[in-house]
């Protein structure tokens, strides 16, 4: 007798593979060696269409079995009572499976083992190879198995062969509606309760620097489809590695899922009698309480979690150091400038002579030993490591020798430093993850931070051309032997799913050389700024990429522009304004799309918080006060409590006035260009940042009302699509400065160093708008209706910004209508005849032409003249006619008249 069987707790891949195998072995009996998952049980019970005669081991004579065909399994531990049958010498064993081998794997006379997402895929491939055509029912059941094991072809284990197999089954009648009905089922109340228990119990543990989620639950009744609940839990919490342990009745079920190569969950669960793949595995444990299983899992994990981290992955490059001859004061200055707690001291040949800590420096300074050489106090009893030194070696050096900093040396040369903080970050992990996206451990540098791989974000959110450019940037960086990173708002907005194509790239090396090399590859040009080590790659269509060398900044005094030096990416990010802007994405092919988060930026994105990196941030650069408000309002975040306190402190210390007005003006422009102006200005007013511009600025109900009216006016104007440029921020600035006298406006314009066209609006036109508004109000009070030509001559001398400000300033609807009439109609009116026509009529060019054209324009505006003929007629009547009449009067009475 031939028997087709699968593993206990069978799923749809088991059933689909068994049905397919039946076509290869038509006389075989289908046998489930144990129970089935809940979804499969429902399928077998609910669908009479698929009522196959599937038996249990007790229903057949096991001694009569001569050939055993195993599908989706080859481990003797997972086939229940059929294990004894499989080991009999008189039984021919055939195996079709996609699981990796384990110590309990059986050896078959025929084995078809392939690395695909589902065993159903293997059987489908055999159908294709042998020309076997499934009917629609068979294709549907096989598709059920394929879709379940590959997560609808979305799991990372899915292969191109799985897609080809699905296409083949679909072509042969697979019913996707039926597949959806049975694979996407609502959870029962018991499952909902169990999932809730798993959610509540989930805790994160860190093993060898890898974060693992461990969840547990207990129930006295059996609930099927635990694997479905685990998938839901993994997706809800966005976990890279999840181990769920559930006690049901007298058994404990373990379901493990992993996205990271650091943990092969199949190998882990073999220790519990189970098995599976590197990314998905399960086990069933009997006769052990839940607590004991959880304890054993935590005990086993360190054996199976592989750390690929060594010194070169953790170290910071571009190390700052001092020579033996440097003084204590030199060391003190350097440590203060770069916020270092330890420095390597070097011999003249570049070899490390010792380590100097901040504590030693401060003690020496306390004893007024500022001028003595650092060689006198440095610690020369230290250990150094090689770039390939293991994590354990680093731990030993830091703990046993109590070294705050460990030099990393290659061929006698200092190439990096690993600090105690670096090691702790890696070993203990970091809680700065966001709620969305995948997180992934880097196998290269930067492992001390929490990471996510944004490859999916890059694929789904960015245009194909931009994705290609990012990949090309990484390839060029590899060719040059340097590291390249995306930085700034582009990364932040990518995580927030907001559109932003302003690409900023930082390289650990020569940014200009990198830009040149990349531009040569993509036929673009480069605009270089050698002084700052930056460049702009400009494409033929105008698209730009900004490139900079990784650098560190320090300030000689508060509120001054910083000095800049080359540094590592970590130090480069430390000079950024807020944590949410310190996120960076690796571009090199070996870790393309991986986020490095050194300063908790992902945590603050999750918490929707604006936080500075250090307490002197606003002292060093007071323009960050305005940026904090701008980001808070744009992103709808909140300024953190400590950051807000520091903002108030910086304002009280009057730091902003030490910054040039140009920089403040630029920040104010950005704020006035945001979507929500009033809330942002309210926050600036709350911090006293408006009074810094001019103490007479009032931000009261009237100004808020004017700003909202200005916003409406600007929106109306932009919807007209007139083609006339307008600077909305300038309209809002006019509203903000509305109460200032002319002297105050001049003072502000000087401090801001406004351009001539900006100064024209603020200093000249803004005061005139008050007089014009008064004139228009007086007309309304006297119920006088101005002519169109009046309106034209009143409004035409002013910019669009001033007229929109007038609309916002006026609370009288007729005034707004008059401005609207001018903008939409009157300002476009033109005279049809020109100077050539006047010359042909016998007139000589001169000032008179201007008077004539003004009269003609007035006539057109007021509806008196509508055609070219009307204009020529008016000239004949009022210019030539008057002149002829004057000539006639002169000829009749040549004597001069006496008044």
């Amino acid at each position: 007798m031939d028997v087709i069987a699968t593993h206990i707790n069978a799923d749809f891949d088991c059933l689909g593979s068994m049905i397919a195998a039946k076509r290869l072995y038509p006389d075989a009996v289908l046998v489930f060696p144990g129970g089935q998952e809940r979804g499969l049980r429902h399928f077998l019970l609910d669908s009479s269409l698929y009522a196959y005669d599937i038996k249990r081991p007790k229903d057949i004579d096991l001694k009569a079995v001569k050939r055993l065909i195993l599908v989706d399994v080859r481990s003797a531990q997972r086939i229940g009572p059929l294990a004894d049958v499989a080991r009999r010498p008189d039984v021919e064993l055939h195996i079709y499976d996609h699981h990796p081998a384990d110590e309990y794997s059986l050896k078959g006379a025929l084995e078809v083992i392939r690395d695909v997402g589902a065993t159903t895929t293997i059987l489908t491939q055999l159908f294709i190879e042998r020309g076997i055509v499934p009917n629609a029912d068979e294709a549907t059941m096989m598709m059920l198995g394929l879709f379940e094991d590959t997560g609808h072809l979305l799991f990372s284990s899915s292969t191109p062969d799985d897609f080809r197999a699905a296409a083949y089954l679909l072509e042969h009648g697979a019913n996707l509606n039926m597949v959806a009905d049975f694979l996407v089922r609502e959870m029962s109340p018991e499952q909902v309760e169990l999932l809730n228990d798993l959610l509540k119990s989930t805790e994160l543990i860190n093993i060898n620097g890898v974060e693992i989620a461990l969840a547990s639950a207990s129930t006295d009744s059996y609930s099927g489809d635990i694997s479905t609940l685990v998938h839901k839990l993994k997706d809800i919490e966005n976990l890279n590695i999840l181990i769920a342990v559930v006690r049901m009745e007298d058994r404990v079920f373990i379901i493990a899922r992993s996205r990271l190569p650091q943990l092969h969950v199949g190998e882990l669960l073999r220790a519990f009698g189970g098995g599976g793949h590197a990314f998905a595995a399960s086990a069933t444990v009997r006769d052990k309480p839940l607590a004991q299983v959880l304890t054993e899992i935590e005990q086993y994990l360190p054996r199976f979690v592989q750390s690929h981290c060594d010194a070169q992955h953790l170290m910071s490059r571009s190390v700052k150091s001092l020579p033996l001859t440097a003084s204590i004061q030199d060391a003190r200055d350097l440590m203060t400038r770069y916020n270092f707690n330890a420095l390597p001291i070097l011999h003249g040949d570049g070899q490390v002579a010792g380590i100097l800590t901040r504590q030693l420096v401060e003690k020496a300074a306390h004893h007024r030993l500022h001028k003595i050489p650092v060689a006198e106090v440095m610690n020369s009893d230290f250990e150094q490591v090689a770039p390939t030194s293991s994590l354990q070696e680093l731990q030993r050096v830091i703990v046993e020798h109590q070294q705050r900093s460990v030099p990393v040396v290659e061929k006698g040369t200092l190439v990096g430093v690993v600090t105690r903080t670096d090691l702790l970050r890696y070993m203990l992990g970091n809680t700065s993850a966001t709620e969305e996206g995948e997180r992934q451990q880097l196998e290269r540098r930067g492992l001390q931070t929490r990471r996510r791989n944004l490859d999916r974000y890059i694929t789904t959110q960015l245009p194909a051309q931009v994705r290609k450019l990012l990949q090309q940037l990484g390839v060029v960086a590899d060719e040059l032997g340097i590291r390249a990173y995306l930085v700034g708002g582009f990364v932040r907005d990518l995580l927030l799913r907001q559109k932003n194509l302003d690409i900023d790239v930082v390289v650990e090396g020569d940014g200009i050389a990198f830009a040149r090399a990349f531009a040569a590859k993509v036929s673009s040009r480069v605009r270089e700024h050698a002084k700052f080590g930056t460049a702009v790659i400009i494409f033929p269509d105008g698209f730009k990429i900004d490139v900079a060398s990784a650098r560190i900044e320090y300030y000689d005094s508060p509120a001054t522009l910083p000095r800049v030096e080359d540094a590592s990416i970590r130090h480069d990010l430390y000079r950024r304004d807020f944590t949410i802007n310190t996120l960076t994405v690796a571009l090199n092919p070996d870790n393309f799309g991986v986020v490095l988060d050194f300063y908790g930026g992902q945590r603050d994105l999750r918490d929707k918080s604006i936080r500075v990196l250090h307490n002197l941030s606003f002292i060093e650069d007071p323009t960050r006060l305005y940026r904090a408000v701008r980001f808070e309002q744009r992103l709808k975040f909140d300024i953190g409590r400590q950051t807000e306190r520091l903002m108030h402190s910086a304002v009280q210390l009057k730091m902003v006035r030490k910054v040039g007005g140009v920089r403040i003006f630029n920040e104010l422009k950005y704020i006035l260009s945001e979507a929500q102006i009033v809330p942002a200005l309210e926050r600036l007013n709350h911090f006293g940042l408006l009074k810094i511009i001019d103490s007479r600025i009032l931000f009261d109900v009237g100004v808020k009302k004017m700003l909202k009216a200005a916003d409406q006016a600007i929106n109306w104007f932009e919807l007209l699509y007139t083609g006339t440029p307008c600077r909305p921020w300038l309209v809002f600035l006019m509203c903000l400065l509305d109460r200032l006298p002319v002297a105050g406006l001049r003072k502000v314009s000087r401090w801001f160093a406004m351009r001539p066209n900006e100064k024209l609006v603020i200093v000249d036109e803004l005061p005139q708008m008050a007089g014009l508004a008064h004139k228009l109000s007086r007309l309304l009070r006297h119920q006088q209706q101005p002519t169109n030509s009046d309106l034209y001559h009143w409004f035409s001398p002013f910019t669009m910004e001033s007229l929109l400000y007038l609309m916002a300033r006026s609370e009288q609807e007729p005034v707004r209508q008059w401005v609207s009439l001018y903008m939409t109609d009157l300002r476009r009116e033109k005279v049809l005849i020109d100077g050539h026509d006047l010359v042909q009529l016998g007139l000589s060019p001169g000032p008179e032409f201007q008077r004539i054209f003004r009269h003609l324009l007035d006539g057109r505006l007021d509806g008196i003249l509508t055609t070219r003929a009307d204009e020529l007629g008016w000239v004949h009547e009022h210019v030539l006619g008057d002149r002829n009449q004057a000539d006639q009067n002169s000829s009749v009475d040549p004597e001069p008249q006496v008044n």
Side-chain angles (χ1 to χ4, degrees):
M1 178 173 60
D2 289 350
V3 169
I4 299 173
T6 187
H7 58 75
I8 56 178
N9 201 28
D11 55 19
F12 279 109
D13 192 30
C14 297
L15 178 64
S17 299
M18 291 172 69
I19 297 300
K22 179 75 171 173
R23 291 293 302 273
L24 302 180
Y25 305 89
D27 299 326
V29 177
L30 304 182
V31 176
F32 279 141
Q36 303 91 43
E37 288 190 351
R38 180 171 175 268
L40 180 56
R41 291 202 313 275
H42 276 289
F43 177 84
L44 296 172
L45 292 172
D46 294 351
S47 179
S48 59
L49 178 66
Y50 302 117
Y52 280 80
D53 184 20
I54 302 178
K55 301 183 180 299
R56 294 174 294 178
K58 67 179 183 180
D59 297 328
I60 63 173
D61 182 2
L62 296 180
K63 295 179 181 179
V65 177
K66 296 301 179 184
R67 184 162 58 177
L68 178 62
I69 300 99
L70 294 179
V71 295
D72 202 36
V73 65
R74 52 173 159 164
S75 173
Q77 279 201 318
R78 303 187 69 202
I79 56 175
L82 295 181
D84 292 336
V85 176
R87 293 190 182 100
R88 280 174 21 206
D90 63 325
V91 173
E92 183 179 346
L93 184 62
H94 292 190
I95 299 173
Y96 301 85
D97 192 20
H98 72 129
H99 295 92
D102 62 20
E103 59 185 297
Y104 304 104
S105 291
L106 297 164
K107 184 66 177 176
L110 171 68
E111 291 186 350
V112 183
I113 312 296
R114 297 178 183 175
D115 186 15
V116 292
T119 300
T120 306
T121 296
I122 298 174
L123 274 302
T124 303
Q125 290 175 320
L126 294 177
F127 276 27
I128 297 171
E129 293 166 5
R130 301 180 186 184
I132 301 173
V133 178
N135 60 40
D137 292 348
E138 292 168 338
T140 299
M141 284 184 285
M142 293 169 72
M143 187 74 91
L144 275 164
L146 193 156
F147 266 37
E148 182 187 54
D149 251 29
T150 62
H152 300 262
L153 296 171
L154 294 176
F155 290 166
S156 59
S157 57
S158 301
T159 69
D161 287 335
D162 296 307
F163 281 84
R164 284 188 280 268
Y168 176 81
L169 296 174
L170 190 61
E171 289 170 355
H172 289 85
N175 187 333
L176 292 182
N177 290 327
M178 181 72 73
V179 172
D181 286 343
F182 283 97
L183 289 186
V184 184
R185 302 179 69 94
E186 292 187 4
M187 291 189 296
S188 67
E190 293 79 10
Q191 286 179 310
V192 171
E193 183 178 358
L194 184 57
L195 177 59
N196 187 51
D197 290 343
L198 289 170
L199 280 166
K200 289 180 179 178
S201 69
T202 301
E203 62 174 335
L204 300 177
I205 58 176
N206 195 284
I207 306 294
N208 294 338
V210 179
E211 190 173 80
I212 297 169
L214 195 60
S216 61
S218 181
T219 176
D220 292 329
S221 59
Y222 181 81
S223 176
D225 277 0
I226 309 175
S227 60
T228 301
L229 299 183
V230 173
H231 277 299
K232 287 184 180 293
L233 175 59
K234 181 168 65 72
D235 292 339
I236 290 171
E237 295 295 312
N238 188 35
L239 302 168
N240 278 330
I241 300 177
L242 170 62
I243 302 173
V245 186
V246 182
R247 182 194 67 81
M248 292 184 183
E249 298 174 343
D250 61 343
R251 288 176 289 179
V252 175
F253 297 90
I254 309 173
I255 307 290
R257 298 291 184 264
S258 174
R259 291 173 176 160
L260 303 181
Q262 281 85 346
L263 176 60
H264 189 304
V265 292
E267 293 178 353
L268 171 68
L269 293 197
R270 282 174 201 151
F272 294 87
H277 301 278
F279 50 84
S282 62
T284 302
V285 180
R286 299 176 183 272
D287 304 323
K288 284 186 181 180
L290 177 64
Q292 182 179 344
V293 174
L294 288 169
T295 300
E296 290 179 359
I297 288 174
E298 291 197 47
Q299 291 172 344
Y300 275 111
L301 275 171
R303 304 184 198 174
F304 293 96
V305 176
Q306 302 298 318
S307 172
H308 295 286
C309 173
D310 52 30
Q312 63 185 331
H313 300 140
L314 282 178
M315 72 183 186
S316 296
R317 302 172 189 266
S318 301
V319 182
K320 300 295 179 185
S321 60
L322 286 174
L324 284 168
T325 55
S327 68
I328 290 295
Q329 187 59 50
D330 293 334
R332 196 179 192 190
D333 292 342
L334 193 63
M335 287 178 167
T336 301
R337 181 182 303 164
Y338 297 117
N339 197 34
F340 291 158
N341 289 314
L343 284 172
I345 307 300
L346 305 185
H347 288 291
D349 59 2
Q351 294 192 34
V352 182
I355 296 175
L356 187 66
T357 64
R358 184 183 290 273
Q359 290 90 335
L360 289 173
V361 168
E362 293 303 326
K363 285 183 179 179
H366 176 72
H367 294 292
R368 300 180 180 180
L369 301 175
H370 301 82
K371 296 182 180 181
I372 69 170
V374 293
E376 299 296 332
V377 296
M378 71 178 186
N379 180 13
S380 56
D381 181 16
F382 68 95
E383 285 203 31
Q384 58 192 34
V385 297
T388 55
S389 294
S390 67
L391 194 69
Q392 290 71 27
E393 177 66 9
L394 285 169
Q395 287 178 276
R396 185 191 65 77
V397 172
I398 288 176
V399 174
E400 293 182 8
H401 286 256
Q402 297 183 356
Q403 279 186 222
R404 179 182 293 275
S405 177
V406 181
V408 182
V409 176
E410 185 173 27
K411 296 179 180 178
T413 302
L414 179 69
V415 294
V417 164
V418 177
T419 68
R420 184 172 60 188
T421 303
D422 293 335
L423 184 62
L424 286 173
R425 275 203 186 101
Y426 177 70
M427 293 302 297
L428 300 180
N430 188 315
T431 58
S432 58
T434 55
E435 295 175 353
E436 300 182 81
E438 297 183 357
R439 299 188 298 269
Q440 187 172 2
Q441 295 291 336
L442 260 175
E443 293 183 7
R444 299 280 297 183
R445 54 180 285 106
L447 275 169
Q448 62 270 38
T449 63
R450 168 66 65 83
R451 284 144 303 272
R452 304 164 59 191
N453 193 302
L454 293 192
D455 193 42
R456 185 178 65 181
Y457 284 68
I458 292 170
T459 301
T460 58
Q461 291 181 230
L462 300 179
Q465 184 60 29
V466 173
R467 297 199 302 268
K468 183 179 178 181
L469 287 176
L470 298 183
Q471 291 167 344
Q472 289 174 322
L473 287 165
V475 170
V476 172
D478 251 17
E479 292 173 352
L480 297 177
I482 60 178
R483 312 298 298 179
Y485 305 90
L486 285 172
V487 297
F490 181 88
V491 179
R492 178 198 67 226
D493 292 344
L494 189 63
L495 286 162
L496 293 175
R497 297 181 181 273
Q498 296 184 7
K499 185 176 180 180
N500 185 344
L501 295 180
D502 295 331
I503 298 177
D504 291 300
V505 175
V506 167
V507 300
E508 288 183 327
D510 189 334
I512 293 177
F514 172 79
R516 290 173 184 165
F518 182 77
K521 290 264 187 183
V522 296
S523 302
S524 300
R525 62 188 179 91
V526 178
R527 186 169 66 232
E528 301 177 7
H529 304 282
K531 179 180 179 181
F532 302 104
T534 62
V536 181
I537 302 169
I538 304 173
F539 293 80
D541 62 358
F543 188 75
K544 299 177 181 177
I545 296 177
D546 291 309
V547 178
S549 302
R551 56 197 192 273
I552 192 169
E553 296 177 347
Y554 62 92
Y555 295 79
D556 289 330
S557 59
T560 60
L561 291 174
R563 293 180 181 269
V564 177
E565 294 181 6
D566 291 340
S568 65
I569 184 64
R570 180 178 176 183
H571 289 132
D572 182 273
L573 296 171
Y574 188 71
R575 66 186 182 84
R576 308 278 165 167
D577 46 14
F578 308 109
T579 57
I580 60 171
N581 293 329
T582 63
L583 298 168
T584 182
V585 173
L587 290 176
N588 292 65
D590 59 350
N591 52 27
F592 180 82
V594 176
V595 179
L596 276 73
D597 179 6
F598 294 95
Y599 303 110
Q602 295 184 83
R603 175 201 62 207
D604 289 337
L605 284 180
R606 180 197 64 202
D607 296 342
K608 296 186 176 182
S609 292
I610 305 295
R611 292 192 176 93
V612 289
L613 277 73
H614 57 86
N615 288 0
L616 295 178
S617 182
F618 296 121
I619 302 297
E620 292 180 344
D621 185 359
T623 61
R624 291 171 178 168
L625 294 163
Y626 293 84
R627 288 205 291 277
V629 170
R630 173 157 58 93
F631 286 125
E632 179 191 48
Q633 298 304 312
R634 178 199 293 178
L635 303 175
K636 294 181 173 54
F637 282 19
D638 293 314
I639 296 175
R641 184 182 304 172
Q642 170 69 357
T643 299
E644 183 163 348
R645 185 186 69 77
L646 295 172
M647 291 177 71
H648 283 296
S649 176
V651 172
Q652 291 172 1
L653 292 172
K654 299 180 180 180
M655 286 294 150
V656 178
R657 292 302 297 188
K658 296 181 179 181
V659 181
V662 174
R663 296 178 65 198
I664 299 301
F665 187 30
N666 287 334
E667 293 297 335
L668 189 59
K669 283 182 185 179
Y670 286 129
I671 290 174
L672 296 177
S673 299
E674 293 288 336
Q676 299 295 326
I677 304 298
V678 173
L681 292 177
E682 282 181 325
R683 288 293 276 166
L684 291 181
N685 190 55
H686 167 75
F687 288 108
L689 293 170
L690 293 180
K691 295 288 186 182
I692 289 172
I693 299 171
D694 191 291
S695 59
R696 291 165 291 188
I697 289 179
L698 295 177
F699 192 72
D700 55 16
V701 175
V703 173
K704 293 178 188 177
K705 187 175 181 181
M706 192 187 309
L707 287 165
K708 291 177 180 177
D711 189 42
Q712 293 174 347
I714 291 168
N715 289 334
W716 164 80
F717 179 75
E718 290 177 342
L719 288 173
L720 294 178
Y721 299 105
T722 63
T724 303
C726 173
R727 295 162 289 182
W729 67 266
L730 194 52
V731 181
F732 293 126
L733 183 60
M734 295 176 78
C735 297
L736 187 62
L737 303 180
D738 176 77
R739 310 285 178 81
L740 293 190
V742 175
L745 296 173
R746 289 198 185 100
K747 180 182 176 183
V748 170
S749 72
R750 284 195 301 270
W751 191 53
F752 281 169
M754 289 182 174
R755 297 187 179 96
N757 60 359
E758 297 166 346
K759 184 178 179 181
L760 170 71
V761 174
I762 297 299
V763 177
D764 297 336
E765 295 188 2
L766 179 53
Q768 293 182 60
M769 286 297 103
L772 182 55
H774 180 70
K775 178 194 289 188
L776 298 175
S777 297
R778 188 170 62 248
L779 285 175
L780 289 173
R781 285 198 304 271
H782 292 87
Q783 298 184 342
Q784 295 177 345
Q785 179 66 34
T787 64
N788 286 352
S789 58
D790 289 333
L791 295 176
Y792 181 89
H793 294 300
W794 290 340
F795 297 152
S796 60
F798 299 106
T799 59
M800 285 295 110
E801 291 85 2
S802 291
L803 295 177
L804 289 170
Y805 160 71
L806 179 61
M807 292 182 74
R809 191 182 193 279
S810 177
E811 297 182 0
Q812 297 167 308
E813 187 59 29
V815 173
R816 294 173 180 165
Q817 291 175 352
W818 292 339
V819 177
S820 173
L821 176 62
Y822 169 77
M823 287 185 168
T824 58
D825 189 12
L826 302 183
R827 72 188 182 94
R828 300 181 181 279
E829 193 63 64
K830 303 293 182 184
V831 175
L832 298 179
I833 67 173
D834 57 21
H836 295 291
D837 296 309
L838 296 183
V839 171
Q840 288 179 358
L841 291 173
L843 298 174
S844 299
E848 184 183 23
F849 275 25
Q850 186 175 3
R851 179 183 65 81
I852 293 171
F853 286 128
R854 172 163 179 152
H855 282 296
L856 291 173
L857 180 59
D858 288 349
R860 292 191 63 82
L861 289 167
D862 295 334
I864 299 171
L865 307 175
T866 58
T867 66
R868 176 182 171 82
D870 290 341
E871 294 179 11
L872 291 172
W874 186 91
V875 175
H876 276 288
E877 179 180 352
H878 293 89
V879 180
L880 297 177
D882 290 347
R883 180 170 297 183
N884 291 336
Q885 183 64 43
D887 290 344
Q888 291 173 6
N889 291 340
S890 175
S891 63
V892 172
D893 184 9
E895 297 293 328
Q897 295 184 5
V898 178
N899 292 328

